[in-house]
Amino acid sequence: MRSSILAALPIILVACSSSGTMAESPAPAPSEDGLVAQADRADQRPFATSVIADFEAPWAMTFLPDARMLVTEKAGQMLLVSADGTQRQTIATIPVDSAGQGALMDVVLAPDFATSKRVYFSYAAAGEGGKGVVLARGVLEERQVQCIKAPCPPVARLSGIETLFRAHPLVDGDGHYSGRIAFSPDGKYLFFTNGERQKFTPAQDPKVTLGKVLRLTLDGKPAPGNPLAAKGFDPAIWSYGHRNLLGIAFDSAGNLWEQEMGPKGGDEINLIKPGLNYGWPRASNGSNYDDTDIPDHRAGDGYEPPKVWWNPSISPAGLMIYSGNLFPQWKGDAFVGGLSSKALLRIDLDGTNARKGDQWDMGARIREVEQGPDGAIWLLEDGGRGSQGRLLKLTPRS
Ligand SMILES: [Ca+2]
Ligand SMILES: [Ca+2]
Ligand SMILES: [Ca+2]
């Protein structure tokens, strides 16, 4: 993979495109019923929304220390985007399998990015016998070049791309890859979510990584001392019984939170503890999509219940725990994007307890939630195959 990506990179020429989409949210037109309803909802939100840029089916984003951004697009482009959203360049084109829910997925900076310039990412790939989610990393390289037209940004590319870990086994189908990445607060371990690929039972199979939270070293090896290895589980497994885990994040006290798309009426926020079984597919507060029942979580069943669940479903995507100063009232709370619910959701976190906070209608499927360096909340709309998803910046109403 490495050689093909490097061969495709421009060495001297740099193409910088301006998105040309920086604009405030459009003012409502009072004569149009739909727009009035939209404006009413926007008026009720405790934040102002600015449209910064748009992307083709974006999936995830992260901020560099200098407020620029890395954004992934479903089809395999990783983009370096200026802090104001007006300039972008492709730093890597990853050979992903983008059928169904397959995509270039998460992108997260290494804990030592300041010195290593390492970037970790995940994507869906096809292999012998099926498909699976892959963890990889590369190094963000930037070189200043002479440009005909000034100003000219550095040429950037993701170099030295190496595959670190592959979910196993590979299976057929295009769903429930998961692929979210979080680093432990001490920077020593990488937590990686592997979805159950819409196959249900792998989530309870100790020998496979599907339907699991994994704890890996920074080189993608099973972390030493994982809680279930001595019991014959795959040595990478940290917790199990999960379905489609589309968000994972540590809070400031070091608690690990995860959100997952459950079955009908069973989306969950979980507090992840080592070695525990979170129940899927044997227990869920939701039911199957054909309305057949799945036993609810109940005391003493051996399965760790969710801290929060949603019925009807919200289809959670992205998880961010807020630590900024722009919205001091929300410090320590979790934010989740809603796909089918077209919403931004706030979950009140209080130590290891969680309860539902706000649910704001955003009028579009929200794929990713991120905190900016200045404490603003940033969202990526889902877009979809071939359609644009906007990058939104939320700031307090003045
Ligand atoms: Ca992110
Ligand atoms: Ca569960
Ligand atoms: Ca149930």
Side-chain angles (χ1 to χ4, degrees), residues 1 4-5 72-78 90-98 103-105 121-125 134 136-138 158 161-163:
M1 183 179 75
S4 64
I5 289 170
T72 58
E73 290 182 331
K74 188 173 187 288
Q77 277 70 44
M78 189 182 295
T90 299
I91 61 166
T93 300
I94 308 298
V96 308
D97 186 308
S98 64
L104 175 58
M105 297 188 286
F121 60 97
S122 61
Y123 63 99
V134 173
R137 72 181 172 198
L158 200 64
I161 291 173
E162 50 186 336
T163 299

Side-chain angles (χ1 to χ4, degrees), residues 28 34 89 94 98 102 166 177 192 199 220 226 259-260 291 303 315 322 372 384 392:
Q89 51 190 310
I94 308 298
S98 64
R166 294 177 183 272
Y177 288 100
F192 186 43
K199 306 297 185 195
N226 274 344
Q259 56 90 337
E260 67 187 64
D291 284 326
Y303 305 123
S315 307
Y322 189 73
L392 307 176

Side-chain angles (χ1 to χ4, degrees), residues 241 260 268 270 278-280 283 297 304 306:
E260 67 187 64
E268 298 179 341
N270 291 304
Y278 287 77
W280 181 254
H297 282 278
E304 187 69 7

Side-chain angles (χ1 to χ4, degrees), residues 92-153:
T93 300
I94 308 298
V96 308
D97 186 308
S98 64
Q101 296 172 14
L104 175 58
M105 297 188 286
D106 212 356
V107 58
V108 180
L109 303 186
D112 64 351
F113 176 82
T115 51
S116 73
K117 304 297 178 192
R118 271 190 173 140
V119 174
Y120 286 74
F121 60 97
S122 61
Y123 63 99
E128 209 160 302
K131 302 175 181 182
V133 64
V134 173
L135 175 71
R137 72 181 172 198
V139 175
L140 180 61
E141 271 186 10
E142 297 194 75
R143 288 179 298 126
Q144 196 70 47
V145 294
Q146 294 289 341
C147 276
I148 299 163
K149 274 200 244 171
C152 180

Side-chain angles (χ1 to χ4, degrees), residues 288-302:
N288 288 306
Y289 277 94
D290 64 6
D291 284 326
T292 54
D293 187 41
I294 305 165
D296 285 356
H297 282 278
R298 57 184 168 74
D301 65 2

Side-chain angles (χ1 to χ4, degrees), residues 103-395:
L104 175 58
M105 297 188 286
D106 212 356
V107 58
V108 180
L109 303 186
D112 64 351
F113 176 82
T115 51
S116 73
K117 304 297 178 192
R118 271 190 173 140
V119 174
Y120 286 74
F121 60 97
S122 61
Y123 63 99
E128 209 160 302
K131 302 175 181 182
V133 64
V134 173
L135 175 71
R137 72 181 172 198
V139 175
L140 180 61
E141 271 186 10
E142 297 194 75
R143 288 179 298 126
Q144 196 70 47
V145 294
Q146 294 289 341
C147 276
I148 299 163
K149 274 200 244 171
C152 180
V155 176
R157 65 175 187 171
L158 200 64
S159 70
I161 291 173
E162 50 186 336
T163 299
L164 300 179
F165 185 88
R166 294 177 183 272
H168 63 83
L170 301 182
V171 296
D172 62 6
D174 302 315
H176 295 188
Y177 288 100
S178 300
R180 282 289 186 179
I181 299 165
F183 290 96
S184 58
D186 64 9
K188 289 181 179 167
Y189 301 107
L190 185 156
F191 289 80
F192 186 43
T193 69
N194 282 191
E196 46 76 283
R197 303 301 320 290
Q198 298 177 306
K199 306 297 185 195
F200 300 86
T201 50
Q204 295 290 329
D205 182 342
K207 299 293 189 189
V208 308
T209 69
L210 310 184
K212 311 293 189 320
V213 174
L214 309 179
R215 188 178 69 141
L216 306 173
T217 67
L218 301 195
D219 295 326
K221 304 285 185 288
N226 274 344
L228 297 162
K231 296 179 184 172
F233 281 58
D234 184 286
I237 295 172
W238 184 253
S239 65
Y240 65 113
H242 299 288
R243 189 172 181 271
N244 189 18
L245 320 86
L246 288 173
I248 188 163
F250 281 91
D251 68 23
S252 61
N255 299 306
L256 182 59
W257 297 89
E258 170 261 3
Q259 56 90 337
E260 67 187 64
M261 254 193 227
K264 188 177 180 182
D267 295 336
E268 298 179 341
I269 296 272
N270 291 304
L271 176 65
I272 300 297
K273 298 182 193 166
L276 295 189
N277 183 352
Y278 287 77
W280 181 254
R282 296 177 184 161
S284 170
N285 291 347
S287 55
N288 288 306
Y289 277 94
D290 64 6
D291 284 326
T292 54
D293 187 41
I294 305 165
D296 285 356
H297 282 278
R298 57 184 168 74
D301 65 2
Y303 305 123
E304 187 69 7
K307 293 288 186 176
V308 172
W309 72 93
W310 284 271
N311 186 1
S313 298
I314 57 161
S315 307
L319 172 66
M320 176 271 282
I321 297 175
Y322 189 73
S323 61
N325 294 318
L326 269 191
F327 297 102
Q329 70 275 30
W330 296 335
K331 215 166 201 173
D333 288 349
F335 287 81
V336 168
L339 291 169
S340 66
S341 53
K342 298 186 174 178
L344 173 66
L345 296 101
R346 185 179 65 83
I347 297 94
D348 258 315
L349 298 188
D350 181 13
T352 57
N353 295 314
R355 59 185 175 87
K356 290 177 190 175
D358 297 295
Q359 179 168 340
W360 297 291
D361 188 343
M362 299 303 293
R365 292 161 57 86
I366 303 300
R367 170 61 71 180
E368 170 74 318
V369 187
E370 194 54 74
Q371 178 181 319
D374 64 351
I377 295 172
W378 295 64
L379 308 179
L380 279 172
E381 296 175 350
D382 190 36
R385 187 171 299 280
S387 69
Q388 300 293 301
R390 298 181 301 173
L391 172 63
L392 307 176
K393 181 181 183 181
L394 314 184
T395 51

